[in-house]
Amino acid sequence: MSLQDAIATGKICLHFQPIIDLSTDCCVGYEALSRWVESGVVYGPPSFLPAILGSELERSLVERQIIELNVARRWLDEHGQGDVFLAYNLSLPSLLWSDLQQLLGRWDDNPNRLWLEVPEKYSVTKEGSGMRQLKALSMAGFKIESDDFGVAWANFSRFLSDIYDGIKIDRSIIQGCSQDKRKRALIRAIVAISDEMSMTTIAEGIDNADDAQCCTFLNVQMGQGYLFGKAKPLGA
């Protein structure tokens, strides 16, 4: 099956991984992650997303996934999770679309209930059109989060713009932090900066209780990883 057909028929769809408040162990959000489901087999993003991002197919995928996000939001409301947010990943190519805000405007709930994740590996400069797009989305009420933080040369001056609401610390820093004092020092520094700038911190890649306890001790606010659950359809 072609990528175009997979998108059109919903074979490429969203699965949802829980995001936990580390201080209460309560689920406060879900990250929406793309999966290709074919004949009962689930394929991860590396097998198809690189061929989609930056192509004409990406717009079709985003349009379909906004519909899926609305369906998920209604499911959460119907199942007593009306205060839970959804997180959705944006790519650098999509930040250059002149109608991106219009597309995201199809989200049919309060904008601050949809957190938009921008990967740190994409170098969005303070003066670039991508940053102007993020500013417009922030002013529209969407939450903006720096994803995979720590895997690239971080442009800290971006945070002076008061656009970003959160930082998701990359799994390469989180995994094994309970046994690595350098990782703990780095997490502590990121948390300190985030706190001073009133940004939320999320630790991704928490796969065991020791790392979860370490992140809680270091005052990371939220956590995500296999310890709390893998990405899957809501209700599955």
Side-chain angles (χ1 to χ4, degrees):
M1 177 179 290
S2 69
L3 285 170
Q4 184 175 2
D5 290 340
I7 293 172
T9 59
K11 296 290 186 181
I12 296 179
C13 59
L14 292 175
H15 286 195
F16 299 87
Q17 185 173 34
I19 299 172
I20 305 299
D21 183 320
L22 292 175
S23 66
T24 65
D25 290 329
C26 293
C27 179
V28 292
Y30 291 91
E31 181 178 3
L33 298 164
S34 296
R35 298 290 187 266
W36 186 336
V37 183
E38 185 70 45
S39 301
V41 180
V42 180
Y43 298 94
S47 64
F48 60 88
L49 269 188
I52 294 175
L53 298 182
S55 74
E56 295 180 359
L57 293 174
E58 185 176 5
R59 184 181 300 274
S60 298
L61 181 63
V62 171
E63 289 176 345
R64 186 175 185 89
Q65 289 185 338
I66 293 298
I67 296 173
E68 290 185 71
L69 288 169
N70 283 322
V71 171
R73 193 273 305 164
R74 289 192 289 271
W75 187 93
L76 291 170
D77 289 349
E78 292 168 0
H79 290 79
Q81 297 186 71
D83 56 346
V84 168
F85 68 85
L86 292 172
Y88 182 68
N89 292 276
L90 295 179
S91 69
L92 180 60
S94 71
L95 288 176
L96 304 179
W97 296 347
S98 60
D99 62 342
L100 177 60
Q101 188 172 346
Q102 181 179 351
L103 288 175
L104 292 172
R106 298 177 186 177
W107 166 254
D108 63 7
D109 195 25
N110 193 319
N112 67 20
R113 199 176 167 191
L114 183 61
W115 292 31
L116 303 175
E117 299 192 359
V118 182
E120 175 63 26
K121 65 181 178 181
Y122 296 127
S123 181
V124 183
T125 63
K126 188 167 60 175
E127 296 79 16
S129 56
M131 183 57 79
R132 290 193 293 271
Q133 184 83 271
L134 289 178
K135 180 67 173 178
L137 291 170
S138 176
M139 292 182 66
F142 294 99
K143 296 286 189 179
I144 309 297
E145 179 186 321
S146 182
D147 192 17
D148 300 330
F149 189 84
V151 297
W153 293 104
N155 180 358
F156 285 95
S157 66
R158 289 180 296 119
F159 298 131
L160 299 177
S161 64
D162 200 28
I163 291 175
Y164 286 87
D165 300 285
I167 289 178
K168 179 175 281 187
I169 307 171
D170 188 68
R171 66 180 64 248
S172 63
I173 300 172
I174 296 300
Q175 292 181 337
C177 64
S178 59
Q179 304 297 322
D180 191 324
K181 67 178 182 181
R182 288 181 177 271
K183 290 186 175 184
R184 293 195 296 274
L186 186 54
I187 294 169
R188 188 178 292 109
I190 293 172
V191 169
I193 293 172
S194 300
D195 287 348
E196 287 292 332
M197 294 188 171
S198 300
M199 293 189 292
T200 300
T201 47
I202 303 175
E204 68 173 352
I206 298 179
D207 294 342
N208 60 69
D210 288 342
D211 288 345
Q213 185 177 13
C214 179
C215 287
T216 303
F217 177 78
L218 295 173
N219 295 318
V220 180
Q221 293 163 287
M222 301 180 189
Q224 179 180 351
Y226 288 165
L227 177 66
F228 309 115
K230 296 183 179 181
K232 60 183 181 179
L234 290 176

